[in-house]
Amino acid sequence: MLHIKCPHCGMRSQNEFSYGGDATIKRPELGKEISDQDWDNFVYNRKSLRGKHWELWQHLSGCRQWIKVQRDTATHEIFKTLKANEEIS
Amino acid sequence: MTQSFRLESGGLINRDKKISFKFNGKNYYGYEGDTLASALIANGVHLIGRSFKYHRPRGFFGAGVDEPYAIVQLYRNGETEPNIKATEQELFEGLEAKSVNCWPSVNFDVGAINNFLKIFLPAGFYYKTFMWPKSFWYKIYEPFIRRAAGLGTASIKHDKERYEHKYEYCDVLITGSGPSGLASAYSAAKNGAKVILTEDKSRFGGTLLTSEVNIGNQSGKEWADSIISELKEMPNVTVKNRSQVFGYYDHNMLVMSERISDHLPKTKKFHPKQRLWYIRAKEVLISSGSIERPIVFGNNDTPGVMLSSAAKEYMKVYGVLVGKKPLIFTNNDSGYETAIEFKKNGIDPIILDTRKEPQSEIIEEAKNMNINIKNSYVVVAAQGYKKVKSADIAKISDNKEELGSIENIECDCICVSGFWTPTIHLASQSGNKTKFNEDIDAFVPGISKQNEKTLGAANGIYTLEETLKDSFEQGNQLSKKITNNENKVSFPNVVEKKSTVHDKFWCVPLPKGKNYKRFLDFQNDVAVSDIEIALKEGYRSIEHVKRYTTLGMATDQGKTSNLNGLQLVSKIENKVVPAVGHTTFRPPYSPVSIGAIVGREVGKHSKPTRKSPMHSWHEKNNAVFVDAGVWLRPRYYKRGEENLFEASKREAKNVRTNVGVCDVTTLGKIDIKGPDAAELLNRVYTNAWLKLPVGKARYGVMLREDGIVMDDGTTTRISENHYHMTTTTAQAASVLSHLEYYLQLVWPELNVNVVSTTEQWAGAAIAGPKSREVLKKLFPKSDVTNEGLPFMGYMEGDLFGVKAKIFRISFSGELAYELNVESDNGYFMWEKIIEAGEEFGIQPYGTEALSTLRIEMGHVAGSELDGRTIPYDNSLEGLLSKKKDFIGKRSLSRKAFAAEDRQKIVGVVPLDKKTSIPEGSHLVKDSNAPLPNPKLGYISASCWSVEHDNPFSLAILKDGRNMIGEKLFVMSPLKNKVIPVEIVSSHYVDPKGERVRS
Ligand SMILES: [Zn+2]
């Protein structure tokens, strides 16, 4: 079970969180024209990375905040966590 | 029976307390502090079971967790448990155990015929022999194997024992209470660290209980006892015996099973049988010691052949002799310690040492005791069937390839020592990259991935002094990092006998003309010849060899077999052992009972139960409940002898003709507040929300980004910046997360707050043509006329002093209202509704009638919004705004979603107007078409239409909009039904929607 540092609550067990996918995907702006290919990339196409990956988790049974977590998908090492409004650098 | 192999004195058992037990129906006695194994050996019982594949006789091989043979079926307090190691099971009064793998009995075993037909059971026998002909597998092979093999029988009774889970945090977790565990725990504890020290066995001390050493002028055991009693007194220390840390998981989470009651005849009141600990440790010190490895020789599985360390442990801990004519077969000094112990107890052992001229303090001592030592000697084969009777021995050449002439010597046990294998399971599980240590011919931990360090013998350090020094230091350093304290512990004076190097010899060659079986894996009956076959057949990767031959795959996980298997592969392949590599160690280190893993989450405790505030009213009024997620909802209210069908028909009919009331508390409710609330709704719902006036409700549909319908419900504008959203019962949690996702990550600029209020409000739907009459009585001061409270209107009302929200919304398609009051007032509200409705014939209705009403109205619910349908499929396309963008809109222009013959919801009526249509059935054009019959659609929901008094279903049908009036067939292979049907509109009742507005 992972141990995730919520930027709001501190170190908590994985079972308080739910996974939310790739954190680097930006939703296209509402009302803007977008090609089929770009839309498909946003909705469906994800890289299944091995290694460092920025991903979203929601602290469901805690503060309910969505957070960004940089995790190694192979080793599960967690390098960094950010609040929703903090930019991935 | 007398305990003829029990020594007159000695051991750590309590000779004042005799314990009676039964094995295979016979009565025996042992002492308090015995294991089942030590008590049986004391009674001269060496035949305990039959082997897995060949059903060869099996005795005892070890004295603890590494035991591959002595697995029994245990009977305790009216319960039975399989896969119990006799070497681990502590004796208790009234214990009963039986052999496994024997049919019909341990002494006469039909399966032993396999032994003579061994040609049929070579490596990969599961894959080869039993593959053909196919039908033989089910009819003959499988039942035969299942009966003849296996490690016992699981009880089919409900387990009445209690198992608990516990979560714990600590600074330093130390796994094993041998010298390294005790020393590191002591120095870490002295620095104030929060320490947990665990021990698998009942006694603390590990090898200190059996070795002849001196620490600070105390014997090893005395020193261990004094350290443990000091640790127990310290408030920052937890020591746990009978506790096996069996798994090392991510982020320093370790799991341990504590056997609290297994050693007692019966679990004490209010105590659990076992407790599973989830321990999150800042640092882990692995002090799991090492396991002696066997030397491979002919018939090395005969009862009486066992590890030399086990023979010593039986003498020193249990006061039991494993034999009276022992042969010690060793390649290192450890065998001498066992021989010396035999000699001290008046038994004359013979040592066969594979080494030519070894010299050390221990060997010197053995010589001084006049122990018979034969150098450059090996055991070629054990003789005897159910017990060792003699051994064929021979001199071996210096290159270890040629055997001298065979001599036969009488013996009743062969104690084997092939040196020591560090127990690296936990380190390996943690992700540690292990490395091969040439000096000890075994793998040791290498580079750590997590915060773990391995100490002492588990790390390949086999001298006590070095182990203690290193362990005191590591405990001190690691705890200092955490607590910033440093209280150095003074290092005690250590006296131990020095030993010399071992001989890297592990397998005795076969003598000419003999074809003895030489076993590597004792539990799974994997012999040298099996590995040879696998390699000949082309298996190279050690992981493949393992699976093909089942080497190391039994419940002992190859604790005694792994390294010898690797040695063999490396020899045949002409590779060094590290190039062969070892198979992956996986949890659990040792079997864990299913009960402990499940814990208390069984039966009613497997998930929470949510009940509405009106639950007790439903109970009093004969409600039959149904699980709706974690909620319990009334399915119907039984009157007299009614069944589900009759009751739900009555309830639904009463809604259509009079008035009914339904508990809708379970609907998800989300409170939405803020100046941008309307903007949020406008973005997540498909229809327009910016102009909804205060005091009005609107139906909305929410999509996922991929265009699939996520949920539907009504949202009401309570005041300028305040909205009350409802969701379906099932999607309540995911809709809240969905809104939070967009507010926090995508549109942080929106000034809106959302919070779940599902539990804050109790809800009741009042539906039917007479519902307004009921409402008038409930709210005499409010104007609830069609003008005062029109369809989709909202107002607040005073329900006899209780504030109520009144929504004019309808799921049933009738004139209907929903009332919400604070949960605490839910019961009061419900009673008032029933009271007021009495004169209008009000009846409560459950989920079954609720479904009937919505199905015949063509209102969609979870069975249509099933995560596979878009708005068009559900005839909800009228709710798609053309003027604005919303979540999921872009996806709807994808080609497949816009196809001409896209699936659509329709109604289905059987031609005979009688036959009920099973949900999930398929719709086909021709019921006699050859298989696979092209499927045109499926039945999503079925009911008995109370309006038309015949069956009616909803279906999602290909090209549904052009299919109205068509005749098709419903096919249900599960129910073996073919029903001719007609496709009709999904709106089977009141297609114009006049009733809700009346
Ligand atoms: Zn949090």
Side-chain angles (χ1 to χ4, degrees):
Chain A
M1 209 188 306
L2 307 185
H3 215 200
I4 301 170
K5 186 176 177 184
C6 171
H8 308 280
C9 311
M11 293 301 277
R12 298 299 177 97
S13 267
Q14 184 185 345
N15 50 6
E16 295 185 10
F17 295 83
S18 79
Y19 183 72
D22 192 333
T24 63
I25 301 291
K26 284 256 181 301
R27 193 199 189 280
E29 231 176 276
L30 277 175
K32 274 215 171 153
E33 286 271 315
I34 181 168
S35 69
D36 281 352
Q37 186 56 57
D38 286 349
W39 184 254
D40 279 358
N41 285 343
F42 160 63
V43 177
Y44 297 105
N45 297 332
R46 295 288 183 274
K47 285 184 186 121
S48 184
L49 284 177
R50 181 188 170 90
K52 279 191 182 180
H53 185 227
W54 275 103
E55 50 202 23
L56 295 170
W57 289 76
Q58 190 184 11
H59 195 189
L60 211 61
S61 311
C63 63
R64 293 204 64 89
Q65 294 300 300
W66 285 87
I67 61 169
K68 297 168 184 173
V69 176
Q70 190 186 33
R71 181 180 67 104
D72 189 308
T73 56
T75 65
H76 292 315
E77 187 178 348
I78 291 175
F79 306 97
K80 230 180 185 179
T81 55
L82 295 174
K83 293 177 184 170
N85 62 4
E86 290 175 320
E87 284 302 317
I88 295 164
S89 52
Chain B
M1 278 288 237
T2 54
Q3 299 183 41
S4 52
F5 285 80
R6 183 80 70 178
L7 293 166
E8 285 299 312
S9 62
L12 308 176
I13 45 167
N14 178 10
R15 288 172 191 261
D16 295 333
K17 197 156 177 208
K18 236 181 173 185
I19 289 180
S20 69
F21 68 103
K22 246 184 200 171
F23 179 67
N24 283 340
K26 260 191 176 169
N27 289 309
Y28 299 95
Y29 289 97
Y31 293 119
E32 188 180 69
D34 261 327
T35 60
L36 175 58
S38 67
L40 283 171
I41 298 173
N43 284 282
V45 178
H46 281 272
L47 180 62
I48 185 146
R50 292 278 173 167
S51 75
F52 193 64
K53 207 158 88 185
Y54 302 123
H55 284 233
R56 286 163 70 106
R58 285 290 179 255
F60 300 93
F61 195 71
V65 67
D66 50 334
E67 176 62 42
Y69 296 152
I71 287 166
V72 298
Q73 182 88 23
L74 187 80
Y75 299 83
R76 171 181 174 270
N77 192 28
E79 292 288 339
T80 182
E81 204 176 335
N83 198 17
I84 298 292
K85 292 188 181 88
T87 53
E88 289 193 300
Q89 178 60 51
E90 293 172 57
L91 207 61
F92 56 77
E93 184 61 41
L95 179 149
E96 272 192 71
K98 278 184 189 156
S99 298
V100 295
N101 262 345
C102 327
W103 173 61
S105 83
V106 67
N107 277 303
F108 176 76
D109 182 285
V110 171
I113 202 157
N114 289 352
N115 196 13
F116 303 104
L117 297 175
K118 61 181 179 260
I119 191 92
F120 294 122
L121 301 171
F125 78 104
Y126 288 111
Y127 307 106
K128 286 191 285 214
T129 319
F130 298 121
M131 289 310 284
W132 186 91
K134 220 174 169 181
S135 63
F136 265 48
W137 174 251
Y138 308 105
K139 288 177 188 155
I140 295 166
Y141 297 140
E142 198 189 357
F144 176 77
I145 292 177
R146 287 212 182 280
R147 184 157 189 192
L151 301 169
T153 317
S155 170
I156 53 166
K157 281 201 294 183
H158 170 70
D159 188 348
K160 282 176 292 201
E161 297 278 358
R162 207 171 80 194
Y163 301 85
E164 284 183 351
H165 285 183
K166 184 180 166 81
Y167 290 80
E168 191 57 273
Y169 291 80
C170 68
D171 294 329
V172 190
L173 170 67
I174 298 158
T175 65
S177 74
S180 56
L182 290 173
S184 56
Y186 192 71
S187 61
K190 284 283 180 190
N191 276 349
K194 191 176 176 203
V195 171
I196 299 177
L197 172 67
T198 72
E199 170 57 47
D200 161 34
K201 295 194 167 185
S202 61
R203 297 175 182 86
F204 294 99
T207 51
L208 291 172
L209 303 180
T210 55
S211 48
E212 292 291 321
V213 293
N214 194 295
I215 307 170
N217 290 326
Q218 289 176 300
S219 74
K221 184 182 180 298
E222 285 163 356
W223 184 77
D225 288 347
S226 68
I227 293 281
I228 278 292
S229 50
E230 199 173 331
L231 286 173
K232 278 182 176 167
E233 294 302 313
M234 296 171 80
N236 54 327
V237 180
T238 305
V239 290
K240 281 284 160 193
N241 59 340
R242 302 186 175 103
S243 296
Q244 175 82 66
V245 176
F246 64 79
Y248 198 135
Y249 300 88
D250 292 307
H251 297 184
N252 264 30
M253 158 76 83
L254 291 95
V255 186
M256 171 172 94
S257 86
E258 182 187 4
R259 302 180 309 276
I260 295 167
S261 310
D262 295 68
H263 63 294
L264 302 171
K266 190 177 156 182
T267 305
K268 278 188 228 154
K269 211 175 174 188
F270 307 125
H271 283 231
K273 182 163 187 256
Q274 293 175 1
R275 183 180 287 131
L276 205 69
W277 293 56
Y278 293 90
I279 305 171
R280 188 83 71 174
K282 286 189 185 135
E283 300 285 343
V284 177
L285 288 173
I286 299 168
S287 49
S288 44
S290 56
I291 292 173
E292 203 166 22
R293 2 180 224 276
I295 301 175
V296 180
F297 56 88
N299 301 331
N300 57 337
D301 63 330
T302 311
V305 177
M306 62 164 56
L307 292 174
S308 128
S309 58
K312 188 173 73 171
E313 186 168 337
Y314 284 117
M315 286 185 274
K316 292 208 72 151
V317 176
Y318 304 103
V320 168
L321 288 172
V322 298
K324 292 175 182 176
K325 275 186 190 163
L327 194 62
I328 316 281
F329 180 28
T330 187
N331 69 3
N332 70 94
D333 286 7
S334 298
Y336 288 78
E337 292 175 18
T338 304
I340 290 167
E341 193 59 32
F342 270 115
K343 188 77 181 181
K344 280 184 186 164
N345 285 301
I347 302 288
D348 273 324
I350 301 171
I351 296 177
L352 304 190
D353 192 330
T354 65
R355 297 173 294 182
K356 203 172 175 188
E357 285 161 341
Q359 280 179 349
S360 72
E361 278 184 62
I362 299 169
I363 296 170
E364 210 49 43
E365 186 183 346
K367 280 179 182 162
N368 291 339
M369 291 173 90
N370 291 322
I371 291 173
N372 184 355
I373 301 167
K374 288 171 171 290
N375 284 319
S376 295
Y377 255 91
V378 295
V379 174
V380 175
Q383 300 295 353
Y385 184 59
K386 287 179 191 164
K387 178 79 198 288
V388 171
K389 289 199 173 93
S390 67
D392 290 344
I393 64 170
K395 240 189 146 79
I396 191 156
S397 63
D398 290 355
N399 66 5
K400 309 289 184 199
E401 278 167 18
E402 311 296 325
L403 293 174
S405 57
I406 308 277
E407 307 155 41
N408 184 271
I409 57 169
E410 218 184 303
C411 62
D412 63 355
C413 66
I414 302 174
C415 307
V416 192
S417 179
F419 209 48
W420 296 86
T421 307
T423 304
I424 58 168
H425 298 63
L426 286 177
S428 174
Q429 285 175 23
S430 81
N432 186 299
K433 289 251 174 298
T434 60
K435 60 182 185 204
F436 193 72
N437 181 333
E438 294 285 346
D439 294 339
I440 61 168
D441 250 0
F443 287 94
V444 292
I447 303 158
S448 298
K449 197 186 109 185
Q450 304 198 40
N451 293 344
E452 49 83 20
K453 276 210 162 62
T454 302
L455 303 173
N459 196 24
I461 301 172
Y462 294 148
T463 71
L464 182 63
E465 187 163 3
E466 208 185 326
T467 292
L468 289 178
K469 259 198 181 131
D470 183 46
S471 305
F472 275 120
E473 185 58 25
Q474 294 289 0
N476 180 45
Q477 289 299 318
L478 285 180
S479 53
K480 197 173 84 182
K481 260 193 347 198
I482 298 164
T483 65
N484 291 319
N485 293 336
E486 186 159 27
N487 295 306
K488 276 254 179 199
V489 178
S490 63
F491 187 72
N493 184 42
V494 175
V495 182
E496 63 185 315
K497 293 208 180 68
K498 299 234 160 27
S499 53
T500 182
V501 289
H502 81 290
D503 182 9
K504 294 184 181 181
F505 177 85
W506 63 276
C507 183
V508 180
L510 282 177
K512 280 192 189 74
K514 294 285 183 188
N515 202 14
Y516 297 123
K517 268 196 186 166
R518 294 172 297 168
F519 285 93
L520 290 166
D521 185 309
F522 302 106
Q523 198 179 103
N524 264 359
D525 276 6
V526 181
V528 170
S529 51
D530 293 313
I531 303 288
E532 287 169 349
I533 290 172
L535 291 166
K536 256 185 222 161
E537 290 182 359
Y539 290 87
R540 288 294 173 272
S541 154
I542 190 67
E543 296 282 0
H544 292 163
V545 171
K546 165 180 168 176
R547 278 154 189 84
Y548 192 57
T549 61
T550 74
L551 172 76
M553 282 178 69
T555 63
D556 68 338
Q557 296 249 306
K559 290 183 179 65
T560 51
S561 67
N562 273 339
L563 264 171
N564 285 340
L566 292 179
Q567 291 282 10
L568 178 61
V569 174
S570 83
K571 191 180 145 199
I572 299 173
E573 290 281 285
N574 209 6
K575 282 183 190 163
V576 289
V577 172
V580 176
H582 60 74
T583 54
T584 314
F585 293 99
R586 291 196 177 84
Y589 171 69
S590 183
V592 182
S593 70
I594 300 283
I597 291 167
V598 173
R600 297 190 68 178
E601 290 164 18
V602 287
K604 282 201 165 181
H605 298 291
S606 62
K607 55 179 170 44
T609 304
R610 294 175 84 179
K611 295 173 183 172
S612 94
M614 290 84 95
H615 187 84
S616 59
W617 191 94
H618 305 322
E619 276 181 329
K620 273 182 265 175
N621 288 274
N622 295 326
V624 177
F625 292 93
V626 63
D627 291 322
V630 292
W631 288 96
L632 271 185
R633 296 190 71 177
R635 191 172 187 191
Y636 63 98
Y637 299 82
K638 195 181 172 79
R639 285 189 178 175
E641 294 302 304
E642 272 178 347
N643 60 22
L644 165 69
F645 178 71
E646 292 157 349
S648 60
K649 222 162 95 173
R650 167 183 53 76
E651 291 170 7
K653 186 89 194 156
N654 191 57
V655 171
R656 294 263 183 254
T657 50
N658 294 312
V659 58
V661 57
C662 182
D663 186 344
V664 293
T665 302
T666 63
L667 279 187
K669 303 169 204 79
I670 298 171
D671 208 54
I672 302 175
K673 271 183 182 166
D676 295 322
E679 181 60 28
L680 171 70
L681 297 172
N682 209 44
R683 293 180 184 188
V684 297
Y685 278 134
T686 63
N687 48 347
W689 285 82
L690 297 180
K691 288 177 184 155
L692 181 73
V694 172
K696 281 284 184 184
R698 184 164 285 174
Y699 175 71
V701 172
M702 239 179 246
L703 305 188
R704 310 190 310 215
E705 291 286 15
D706 62 1
I708 299 289
V709 180
M710 179 178 180
D711 199 43
D712 70 342
T714 57
T715 293
T716 306
R717 191 167 188 182
I718 305 288
S719 65
E720 182 65 21
N721 293 328
H722 183 195
Y723 290 79
H724 175 88
M725 176 186 275
T726 65
T727 73
T728 59
T729 301
Q731 298 294 333
S734 54
V735 169
L736 182 64
S737 275
H738 182 73
L739 298 179
E740 287 166 335
Y741 173 88
Y742 286 100
L743 285 174
Q744 293 172 25
L745 288 156
V746 186
W747 310 313
E749 70 279 7
L750 291 187
N751 189 356
V752 188
N753 277 303
V754 293
V755 67
S756 165
T757 53
T758 301
E759 304 215 325
Q760 275 64 37
W761 300 102
I766 307 170
K770 294 176 184 166
S771 56
R772 187 178 288 125
E773 301 310 312
V774 180
L775 212 66
K776 277 182 188 160
K777 280 180 75 184
L778 291 171
F779 301 98
K781 285 175 268 175
S782 302
D783 175 12
V784 296
T785 60
N786 205 17
E787 293 70 40
L789 184 60
F791 180 55
M792 298 307 266
Y794 163 78
M795 61 163 60
E796 281 185 9
D798 174 17
L799 181 79
F800 307 104
V802 165
K803 211 170 84 177
K805 286 181 149 88
I806 313 168
F807 306 86
R808 185 165 163 199
I809 52 178
S810 174
F811 191 45
S812 59
E814 295 297 326
L815 169 67
Y817 303 87
E818 268 181 41
L819 303 188
N820 273 193
V821 295
E822 285 175 7
S823 290
D824 288 351
N825 298 319
Y827 195 94
F828 172 80
M829 166 184 71
W830 188 269
E831 280 199 314
K832 287 292 168 198
I833 295 168
I834 296 288
E835 205 179 293
E838 207 182 340
E839 62 175 293
F840 307 105
I842 201 167
Q843 287 179 19
Y845 63 101
T847 56
E848 202 68 20
L850 185 79
S851 288
T852 297
L853 294 165
R854 75 92 186 167
I855 292 168
E856 60 176 5
M857 262 309 153
H859 287 170
V860 290
S863 47
E864 289 78 33
L865 310 179
D866 63 352
R868 297 183 295 179
T869 54
I870 58 171
Y872 174 86
D873 304 349
N874 295 296
S875 289
L876 296 170
E877 64 271 28
L879 289 166
L880 303 176
S881 168
K882 291 200 174 68
K883 291 188 190 139
K884 58 145 193 173
D885 196 1
F886 52 83
I887 295 301
K889 184 178 189 179
R890 180 64 180 79
S891 288
L892 296 178
S893 58
R894 291 168 61 83
K895 226 169 149 187
F897 289 174
E900 269 297 298
D901 60 351
R902 178 79 199 169
Q903 63 180 6
K904 200 172 188 57
I905 188 167
V906 293
V908 177
V909 178
L911 292 186
D912 68 359
K913 304 263 173 118
K914 269 190 249 163
T915 312
S916 288
I917 300 173
E919 290 176 345
S921 306
H922 289 185
L923 283 155
V924 299
K925 193 155 188 70
D926 175 4
S927 63
N928 292 313
L931 295 174
N933 195 341
K935 171 191 152 187
L936 302 177
Y938 59 94
I939 302 294
S940 61
S942 289
C943 72
W944 187 277
S945 167
V946 290
E947 183 95 359
H948 296 277
D949 203 22
N950 58 253
F952 175 75
S953 296
L954 292 175
I956 306 287
L957 181 63
K958 191 176 177 182
D959 199 18
R961 74 175 152 181
N962 293 316
M963 296 293 276
I964 308 297
E966 292 284 322
K967 305 260 192 311
L968 298 175
F969 294 92
V970 157
M971 295 190 75
S972 172
L974 282 177
K975 304 246 159 122
N976 203 17
K977 272 189 176 177
V978 178
I979 308 161
V981 296
E982 184 181 357
I983 304 304
V984 300
S985 160
S986 60
H987 301 294
Y988 202 41
V989 174
D990 189 26
K992 287 187 183 148
E994 285 163 346
R995 293 182 193 177
V996 293
R997 293 180 171 82
S998 61

